[in-house]
Amino acid sequence: MKSITIQGEKRENVGKSSTRALRDAEQVPCVVYGNGESIHFSTALSSFKNLVYTPEAHTVVIKWSDGGKTEAVLQDVQFHPVSDLILHADFCPLQPEKPVIMEIPVKVLGRSIGVSQGGVLRLTFRKLKVKTLPENLPDNIEINITSLAIGARISVKDLSTDKYSIEHPKDTVIVAVKASRAAVKSVQNDVKGKDDKKAK
């Protein structure tokens, strides 16, 4: 998986006034949780452009002003309810022997038979939470939909791999092909036409 580097400035003062000053300066208050400690820091709001506002998934290298660095994954982001600006972000450090949970984008492959027949493809989840060791984090979860007919679906239970587990209920539907309104109406008209002929 690709990694993005951001600059982190460790914080000692985590009070409300300090936090407000950071946001006014277009800095985001953040925390790295793990290893029995919490590191409070700030980073530029622009650092999240390729982390949050993107369909791709990345790990993060936080470079500290003292020359050190921490490899991590973004765990949670808090947004302002009105402006939608990022207010706070939580990170989890990566450790080779410790599984991590991360949202991975779904990549659909192929063209569904059902879509070719007039059906509509419904992608319920664009990202799925997976749990695995850092070395096994995939760039995306590929789902081949070529054989999906109208009314067919692919659920979590249909995706099997020994490299990671998907942290959703087994019956969670990820993608399905639904009958379009036009197709349903066409079938209804055909049935009505046959009934009318029988009545005559």
Side-chain angles (χ1 to χ4, degrees), residues 112 114 120-122 147-154 173 175-179:
S112 160
V120 178
L121 187 70
R122 303 290 188 194
S147 62
L148 279 187
I150 293 176
R153 63 185 63 183
I154 294 177
V173 177
V175 61
V177 178
K178 304 289 186 179

Side-chain angles (χ1 to χ4, degrees), residues 5-20:
T5 299
I6 65 174
Q7 300 296 320
E9 186 71 32
K10 294 180 181 179
R11 303 169 57 204
E12 292 185 4
N13 189 346
V14 294
K16 289 185 178 180
S17 59
S18 174
T19 298
R20 190 179 301 112

